[in-house]
Amino acid sequence: MGYSDHRFDVNLSILFTELPLLERPAAAAAAGFTAVELWWPWIETPTPDQSELDALKKALDDAGTQLVGLNFYAGQLPGPDRGALSVPGEESDRFRANIEVAADFAASVGCKALNALYGNRVEGVDAQIQDTLALENLVLAARAADRVGAILLIEALNKPESPLYPLVSAPSAIEVVDKVNQATGLGNTKFLLDLYHLSMNGEDLDQVIDAYADKTGHVQIADNPGRGAPGTGDLGLEALLDRLKKAGYEGWVGLEYKPGERPSAEAFDWLDQSARAAK
């Protein structure tokens, strides 16, 4: 096997960011890709005007790109925040206000995966209070995702870069996945397996893949060190993706890496042109 055996999409919130949001789908298409994903693009608001949602849908449609992953509102990301759903008060309220907006937008563009970032620990707030709130909000998000035929994703980040984020190992994220599925009975909550984050945590990636491939709904990659394109570090991403496929994972692989000093369009030389369009 090799890279050509996988289905790749480009994360337009980390690649092509030198361009305005509405120009990025066409740029990804020009580089040969037909599938893309996004963090919540409107970091200031969970409820943008319908005209802004319509404009993004048009940009995706005009470029011929399929949106395959979308984050719910996650606060200032990029920035200091790592999600909103476990943060009591205004941020939790914003997440709730976003749930149906994000789900309806996903439905409008045929996106089948919604990622809910957990949120940082808040100083002076009992962790149990945050976790109870998180489960309530994740149940609402899972039901909204189910309504539009989508899965809900729970992501583990890495402790060095996200020291206040509680889900910084595959088992900690899987525990939340299981709790949400148990609470809803829907079975549509899955693990977002990000090989970069897990490697930064020092986890045994082969072991994680073997243990959790069946609970994985989406995969993201970047090399380590540096969070650059495959081949810029020493992660052995090709072998890891092949292991995932052999373990039964057939889903998308999101390219969530930094292009470095060069324009994003030049950051895909590791992937043959013929392997970029979604199969």
Side-chain angles (χ1 to χ4, degrees):
M1 284 199 282
Y3 284 133
S4 61
D5 291 302
H6 304 280
R7 291 197 299 160
F8 294 103
D9 73 85
V10 178
N11 188 310
L12 298 180
S13 297
I14 194 168
L15 285 152
F16 297 108
T17 58
E18 63 269 29
L19 299 171
L21 174 66
L22 298 182
E23 293 177 22
R24 294 176 205 169
F33 293 94
T34 54
V36 297
E37 63 180 79
L38 278 166
W39 301 340
W40 184 249
W42 300 277
I43 60 174
E44 301 297 339
T45 177
T47 54
D49 287 343
Q50 187 61 43
S51 61
E52 294 192 58
L53 295 160
D54 292 344
L56 179 55
K57 180 185 187 308
K58 185 176 188 302
L60 291 163
D61 290 346
D62 288 353
T65 49
Q66 175 64 51
L67 188 69
V68 299
L70 176 68
N71 283 13
F72 285 105
Y73 170 81
Q76 298 290 314
L77 181 76
D81 298 334
R82 297 290 184 273
L85 63 92
S86 69
V87 180
E90 189 181 336
E91 282 299 274
S92 168
D93 292 346
R94 285 174 152 231
F95 178 82
R96 288 195 187 191
N98 175 247
I99 291 174
E100 301 302 336
V101 176
D104 286 344
F105 181 75
S108 78
V109 294
C111 175
K112 299 297 183 186
L114 289 155
N115 182 27
L117 284 167
Y118 202 83
N120 288 328
R121 289 298 191 215
V122 179
E123 195 177 341
V125 177
D126 188 322
Q128 186 58 55
I129 289 172
Q130 283 198 255
D131 291 341
T132 300
L133 176 64
L135 185 57
E136 286 174 16
N137 282 335
L138 287 168
V139 164
L140 294 172
R143 288 181 179 144
D146 181 67
R147 175 176 66 78
V148 298
I151 58 172
L152 175 69
L153 296 169
I154 307 292
E155 183 175 8
L157 301 182
N158 76 77
K159 198 167 181 64
E161 293 174 322
S162 303
L164 299 176
Y165 192 81
L167 309 184
V168 285
S169 71
S172 65
I174 291 289
E175 186 182 350
V176 174
V177 168
D178 290 344
K179 278 181 180 171
V180 178
N181 281 329
Q182 192 175 3
T184 64
L186 294 170
N188 72 326
T189 300
K190 304 279 187 181
F191 179 41
L192 197 169
L193 194 160
D194 185 311
L195 290 165
Y196 168 74
H197 287 312
L198 299 181
S199 71
M200 284 284 287
N201 289 326
E203 293 182 73
D204 182 328
L205 299 179
D206 287 344
Q207 190 178 15
V208 167
I209 288 167
D210 294 348
Y212 303 127
D214 62 330
K215 293 186 177 184
T216 297
H218 191 67
V219 170
Q220 290 173 335
I221 62 169
D223 216 329
N224 189 20
R227 200 175 186 176
T232 58
D234 50 26
L235 255 194
L237 288 163
E238 194 166 3
L240 289 165
L241 291 180
D242 287 347
R243 190 180 190 101
L244 262 162
K245 197 167 182 77
K246 282 176 187 156
Y249 180 73
E250 296 282 344
W252 294 99
V253 177
L255 307 180
E256 195 182 66
Y257 59 79
K258 297 175 180 175
E261 298 302 312
R262 56 194 169 164
S264 295
E266 295 171 18
F268 303 106
D269 48 8
W270 58 277
L271 184 61
D272 192 72
Q273 188 81 23
S274 64
R276 298 179 189 181
K279 290 178 284 296

